[in-house]
Amino acid sequence: MKPARAWATLVLLMPLMALAQDAPTTPPTPTPLSAADTAAALSRAERLGKAIFLQDLAAERATDAIRAKYRAFGKDARVRGWITEEHDGQYRVSYIDATPAVLYRVEMAADGTPAGEVQVLSEPEPLSAYEAAATTARTLAMTAQVAPCAKAYNSVALPEGEGRWAVYLLPATTLPNVVPLGGSHRLDIADGRITASRGFTRTCIQLGRTPSKRGVTVVGMMVTHLLDPTPTEVHVYWSLWARTPMYVATTDGQLWEIRDGRIHKRDDVAQGPASGS
């Protein structure tokens, strides 16, 4: 039997579902950006999206490393969360209790591999200044009233300088082929309070990354983004997380490709229908 012929050279995965109630049919149109502002927005999205991904990857792989060495970790009821700190090109992941104090530490390389031995502390250790500030910012962000799209959320706290933090709340999933883009939020923290917040989608939209079983090569996911004139750091993060290119159509008719954490215009691909985010 001859192998099935691919239907096209480019196939985009459309959103699996939009779980939220229907959003307004005519949302506000984002203000167009100048060429300089567009370049700055794309650079910022790439930088922050990669930073979120690397912290999230370090925490995920650090958890795997602890479980492999210390089986009791999964049943340790003292653990209330973790803090990830970038330093010298590596990531220190510290697991904390309710005090808060550190129970475990793992040094991770940027590629997600352990860069040192897992530290199982015989006595909880006080948090460093960075860990304490990050914990405060994350705890405050978790009190925000945001529209949830998942039963569980992961958080990433990024320092913004001068005591300011950006905390990203990211929907968690146990389904490997579901990309839970909808319900991602950013909370800006300064002076012990939430100074700004935003959601990156209007609905609980989910993208799929399961290849077709009919001989079609799937090369990316596609979504229409209605809230910004360019893709955001959340689009970059979820593309990196899914290890799949993402195509983002904006309201000005532009199609953007996110591949390996970089954003490029795509004028050579016709846009297909996709649910708005």
Side-chain angles (χ1 to χ4, degrees), residues 4-12 211-219:
R5 182 180 179 181
W7 291 354
T9 57
L10 175 63
V11 176
L12 302 179
S212 170
K213 297 180 180 179
R214 293 179 288 182
V216 178
T217 300
V218 178
V219 298

Side-chain angles (χ1 to χ4, degrees), residues 13 179 207-209 219-223 238-239 242 244-247:
L13 283 170
V179 182
L207 305 181
R209 57 173 177 170
V219 298
M221 306 172 289
M222 184 173 179
V223 65
W238 284 115
S239 176
T244 304
M246 182 182 295
Y247 294 83

